[in-house]
Amino acid sequence: MRILIVNPNSDLEMTAAIQESAVAFVGDRFEVVTLATPDAPRFLETYEDDVKSGPGMLEILREHESAFDAFVIACHSDTNLHAARELTTKPVIGIGEASMKLASFLGHNFAIVTTHQHSIPGKVVQIRAYHLQDLLVSIRAPEEGEEGWEDADLFMELSRRAVQEDGAEVIVLGCAGMAGMDRRIQDALGVPVLDGVVCALILASGFAHYGVGTSKVLGYNPDY
Amino acid sequence: MRILIVNPNSDLEMTAAIQESAVAFVGDRFEVVTLATPDAPRFLETYEDDVKSGPGMLEILREHESAFDAFVIACHSDTNLHAARELTTKPVIGIGEASMKLASFLGHNFAIVTTHQHSIPGKVVQIRAYHLQDLLVSIRAPEEGEEGWEDADLFMELSRRAVQEDGAEVIVLGCAGMAGMDRRIQDALGVPVLDGVVCALILASGFAHYGVGTSKVLGYNPDY
Amino acid sequence: MRILIVNPNSDLEMTAAIQESAVAFVGDRFEVVTLATPDAPRFLETYEDDVKSGPGMLEILREHESAFDAFVIACHSDTNLHAARELTTKPVIGIGEASMKLASFLGHNFAIVTTHQHSIPGKVVQIRAYHLQDLLVSIRAPEEGEEGWEDADLFMELSRRAVQEDGAEVIVLGCAGMAGMDRRIQDALGVPVLDGVVCALILASGFAHYGVGTSKVLGYNPDY
Amino acid sequence: MRILIVNPNSDLEMTAAIQESAVAFVGDRFEVVTLATPDAPRFLETYEDDVKSGPGMLEILREHESAFDAFVIACHSDTNLHAARELTTKPVIGIGEASMKLASFLGHNFAIVTTHQHSIPGKVVQIRAYHLQDLLVSIRAPEEGEEGWEDADLFMELSRRAVQEDGAEVIVLGCAGMAGMDRRIQDALGVPVLDGVVCALILASGFAHYGVGTSKVLGYNPDY
Amino acid sequence: MRILIVNPNSDLEMTAAIQESAVAFVGDRFEVVTLATPDAPRFLETYEDDVKSGPGMLEILREHESAFDAFVIACHSDTNLHAARELTTKPVIGIGEASMKLASFLGHNFAIVTTHQHSIPGKVVQIRAYHLQDLLVSIRAPEEGEEGWEDADLFMELSRRAVQEDGAEVIVLGCAGMAGMDRRIQDALGVPVLDGVVCALILASGFAHYGVGTSKVLGYNPDY
Amino acid sequence: MRILIVNPNSDLEMTAAIQESAVAFVGDRFEVVTLATPDAPRFLETYEDDVKSGPGMLEILREHESAFDAFVIACHSDTNLHAARELTTKPVIGIGEASMKLASFLGHNFAIVTTHQHSIPGKVVQIRAYHLQDLLVSIRAPEEGEEGWEDADLFMELSRRAVQEDGAEVIVLGCAGMAGMDRRIQDALGVPVLDGVVCALILASGFAHYGVGTSKVLGYNPDY
């Protein structure tokens, strides 16, 4: 079995980090390949970045559709996910949706730790689209003046606040760029910490083994 | 005051129909210009069409931003609306959001009449994103075998069913391509019938007169 | 076109302030008249005040129905709005509903600034009735000891807290008596600030131009 | 203990029927008095009727407040309930809210049987205000052509449809005028059938015995 | 009329306290008997405790079903309530559901005061199951370091915070073990304070007088 | 890796069918063992059956906790799931929750096909507990007179109705006893059909590989 992870941005360093984190989870159970989106912005930080990333993402998916068994969209905002599902009968999983829904199997609630206050309003919209607002205890992002912290320290501290001040039972890492921080925070705080790429791989590989994929009977069928 | 209507597809006939319907509403109160999106698909019927339409839409908006006072996105699925709002401090209104929210001021509930069963699941997602699901009594689309009907007869009949069988108090036309049918159905059935372009123009011109626009304090500020 | 603004209370000073603020928005685009409700309480602060205001409001509406094209109820709690809609086939818009729904086109969320802690529980009920609870980040009212502040300073400070502490993207003024404060707060804080009377005039005049009004097909038809 | 039932309309026959049904439930456990509202419309069928009923209702309540231990508003739309609660520290219970919330203790869901299709949209608004929409399986009112049926047969048949076609586990009678029909329908269909006046008396007398009443700490305190 | 209160735990002291509090409310209006569940854990603090309590609870109910007119489950988490309803056509009321739903008749909102932070996530699940989340302003439990306080002082202080800091209009005691504290807190803070056992007795006795019980037409009928 | 599937009932034939279906999915990727619950009822059809099954289920889990890496509860009502999670730091997955949440990754909505009308009200309660009600298009169970049909024909027909009449994009099999029917229905109707045991194994094995389990930081920690 082969799974393709599409990184919707063009940053090769983040692409490598995602691949590394994926391989660490997958081992030799199946094959996983991570591709950057060449014409996309280097990082996706705005709604316009999502738009600019779209055509390249669909091109990559179309080109490689037949060579893989399932697909992962490796941006926590699940950029262009509906369109990606339209292109194939195979499963297509976004890391945001996967991580937040899987969190609900491990605790009564979850918190999200993310990189910027700026992304919170859009994250709230996304969470409501998945009907998860009642499970969310908080979205923690750096406060003013904390943005210069070392990343590892910062996300550890945000996670600690979510657990101790907000009553979070599970931490969801809110950005693909945090790949690899899950284990360290989990060990320090003693709560499950979920990286979206791993969560999406669990579902993508599971569906591929099962032989089920995107429904083509109505809304995701472009030729209906 | 000048308002730009962006038709996210490239069909010139539909662009002209939207402009005609807009002018019929606006009269000489302000100026309105409708532009098609040259590189977009001829019609937007799939999620991929939305993706393909995005870069061209943003290009048009950026090019004309300084020359207009407010903007309307003339597709009932409100294609790429968040990204459009990011580009400007002026108001940007989608015809889907405008028509459905304005319907709630004229009756206790509303129904949507649309062109294909295929688009219903995505329309349901959109309605929930606007928190309007409790006001929706039904989405009526042609049943199997009815798709060959003359459009005017078909949408009249779907509207009649929504009112008489589903208890709808207001009809929302679910596609920019239905421009001009509002008055005829309203006169025949005796219920308010809303065309999205007109509804969006009400808001866009109102906000422009008022001097308020898209908030740049957090989520819609690309430079935050 | 002529629009009647009904002030549900009997205070002539507030009536004049509403009219002034309305004219400042409307200019010479259409005519607007604001009437106080003679037998109503001087200010509406309790549920009983709403009840006492009702008969007079309906009398005014019935007396002037034929002479105006649309109607605005100028109390942020939308006093007796359903009954007013029953009296006419023309549009009837409440300033509370108008301001909060219009806020949703300018930002991902909004906050309300209002005059008393006492009115918060009723405001929460009203917001849920419009399905807007997921968009509300906070209702800010003077804390204990702050009620003696100069109004202008107080509402500016409450708005500042809503933006900087609660993450509000849009401010909604929660009382018709705040007419005229919108621009000053908007200029100081750099966020859209909405006065309900202006928002309601946008809709009322828009619907009147469009030729749509209150649905009489079911729930708002007193003779059904 | 003495409980006052306020019938918000002026019909003496319905007032007597409510009193009869109340006494049948209460027996000699406590005293119950039903008063019509003299200046109110004969029946409350429109939103305007609710407005017209308000001042008289509050006058009755104020006049008799000290002589009773709890109060019931005997209209299924819970006319002017918030204002009534403001007038007293004693409990005030609406028969609509009481019957629908009590239904939820006897089954997984409920249906409402009511007198006119016309009242359905307003009933839906009311149900959402009580957060009960997820428990409602249907609102059954006479279909076109059935309005001339004998009442007893009609409401029996509507209840039967709710149980057998809609899966209702409990029937709520949606009008104070149906007082006395509960037992007959319950016996025929084998499901709990709730009359609002009885449900409100259960709560009003229970709260009075308990010594708790309307909270005056914030929103229901007119002198805050 | 005779009502059986089932205490799902085996603690005889708590059983006596519940009976005392019940009798104080009931007086000589009807008979009330409280039984402990012999094989159950001494206190129910975990989900496993609920499981262990179940068989004994059902045994008690089955043994005494014919001798009583209605039943109360005296644990605020409404342990095994659905199963208890299945055993009888008579009413079965849980004290958690009763207290929280009755709170909604006395104020716009309520807060819960409970014994441990640990029980908050499960309490949130329970509240959502009753569709009451929009009425809940806070769940107050002892903060770290406060658990050693004298109970009476602690719950008074938690209630005070709920009213003064969270805006609660009604206090719900979140544990059967708080029986008897309602009056003291109510007198001190001037807000309605609800003990679940009393609330459940109001409903159980009311339904028994009315002659309605658990619906057997579908989901609660074990022989369907 | 070893996963234990607990069948909450005592039927050995169903236990064998679940094991067979599990092995067909798992192959030699990991080890899976299915155990019946000896003292439980033969089938779980009532709420009381759930109660009776509880102590035995927890006993099995406690006995085998150290020998397995994750656990599956193989009843679609997710019997005693919260209590099972309390017993272990490893993942515990219910087949109902797993199948319905995984369905949401393959289509815009889903329908459930189940065995009896009787179980629908409880299923609705369960779906709301998972916040999935907005994704559910219908629960299909045999209509009156259809209960004698051959199972395979019956569930095929119910699935066909869900797709063609209700607009379902994914079918969820609502009972562990339907194990093995997924593929045949999927092939006939061309929609994804999900068996809960497979879905739960996807998650249980994925979490075990990942090294995350049930959060013990608050609500699921029995020793807190």
Side-chain angles (χ1 to χ4, degrees), chain D:
Chain D
M1 193 178 64
R2 305 181 75 216
I3 291 181
L4 175 64
I5 301 174
V6 179
N7 175 7
N9 73 35
S10 59
D11 187 66
L12 297 184
E13 197 176 338
M14 191 188 287
T15 307
I18 291 169
Q19 173 70 8
E20 183 181 1
S21 158
V23 167
F25 169 67
V26 167
D28 58 1
R29 295 199 305 281
F30 52 86
E31 189 182 346
V32 61
V33 174
T34 308
L35 294 179
T37 302
D39 298 332
R42 187 157 168 213
F43 296 108
L44 303 192
E45 292 176 339
T46 65
Y47 289 117
E48 185 174 7
D49 290 339
D50 291 343
V51 169
K52 286 180 174 161
S53 172
M57 287 176 64
L58 299 188
E59 199 177 334
I60 290 176
L61 282 165
R62 191 164 267 127
E63 182 181 346
H64 297 278
E65 200 272 342
S66 64
F68 289 89
D69 300 294
F71 304 90
V72 168
I73 308 294
C75 175
H76 205 271
S77 60
D78 297 333
T79 310
N80 298 301
L81 176 62
H82 285 299
R85 283 190 179 142
E86 224 172 35
L87 285 189
T88 174
T89 61
K90 298 169 182 172
V92 184
I93 310 296
I95 69 170
E97 185 174 6
S99 59
M100 295 190 288
K101 289 189 177 169
L102 264 57
S104 71
F105 290 88
L106 302 175
H108 295 83
N109 63 45
F110 65 87
I112 296 175
V113 170
T114 190
T115 52
H116 297 92
Q117 295 282 337
H118 164 261
S119 65
I120 292 179
K123 188 57 68 183
V124 170
V125 169
Q126 182 190 10
I127 288 166
R128 286 196 305 244
Y130 299 142
H131 311 281
L132 296 169
Q133 65 269 30
D134 287 335
L135 301 181
L136 179 78
V137 295
S138 61
I139 303 176
R140 284 280 182 175
E143 311 273 331
E144 221 180 303
E146 295 179 342
E147 305 216 355
W149 286 32
E150 177 70 33
D151 274 8
D153 294 344
L154 181 56
F155 299 125
M156 179 71 79
E157 169 62 13
L158 295 176
S159 300
R160 191 198 60 73
R161 290 176 196 162
V163 172
Q164 294 179 5
E165 298 176 20
D166 308 332
E169 293 193 339
V170 180
I171 298 293
V172 171
L173 300 180
C175 178
M178 295 178 184
M181 294 188 185
D182 47 356
R183 188 52 49 97
R184 210 173 64 91
I185 299 175
Q186 177 165 313
D187 291 347
L189 300 179
V191 287
V193 178
L194 296 183
D195 174 68
V197 172
V198 174
C199 294
L201 286 169
I202 289 172
L203 292 173
S205 63
F207 285 137
H209 273 124
Y210 190 13
V212 297
T214 304
S215 178
K216 293 291 160 176
V217 81
L218 197 56
Y220 285 124
N221 185 348
D223 307 315
Y224 186 85

Side-chain angles (χ1 to χ4, degrees), chain B residues 124-166:
Chain B
V124 169
V125 168
Q126 182 190 10
I127 288 166
R128 287 197 304 244
Y130 299 142
H131 312 280
L132 296 169
Q133 65 269 31
D134 287 336
L135 300 182
L136 179 77
V137 295
S138 61
I139 304 176
R140 284 280 182 175
E143 310 274 330
E144 220 181 303
E146 297 179 341
E147 305 216 356
W149 286 33
E150 177 69 35
D151 274 7
D153 293 344
L154 182 55
F155 299 126
M156 179 72 78
E157 169 63 11
L158 295 176
S159 300
R160 192 198 59 74
R161 290 176 196 163
V163 172
Q164 294 179 4
E165 298 176 20
D166 308 332

Side-chain angles (χ1 to χ4, degrees), chain F residues 117-196:
Chain F
Q117 295 282 336
H118 165 260
S119 65
I120 291 178
K123 188 58 68 185
V124 169
V125 169
Q126 182 190 11
I127 288 167
R128 286 197 304 244
Y130 300 142
H131 312 282
L132 297 169
Q133 65 268 30
D134 287 335
L135 301 181
L136 179 78
V137 295
S138 61
I139 303 176
R140 285 278 182 177
E143 311 274 332
E144 220 180 304
E146 296 179 341
E147 306 216 355
W149 285 33
E150 178 69 34
D151 275 8
D153 294 344
L154 182 55
F155 298 125
M156 180 70 79
E157 169 62 12
L158 295 176
S159 300
R160 190 198 59 73
R161 290 176 196 164
V163 172
Q164 294 178 5
E165 298 176 20
D166 308 332
E169 294 194 337
V170 181
I171 298 294
V172 170
L173 300 179
C175 177
M178 296 179 184
M181 293 188 184
D182 46 355
R183 189 51 50 97
R184 211 172 64 89
I185 299 175
Q186 176 165 313
D187 291 347
L189 300 180
V191 287
V193 178
L194 297 183
D195 175 67

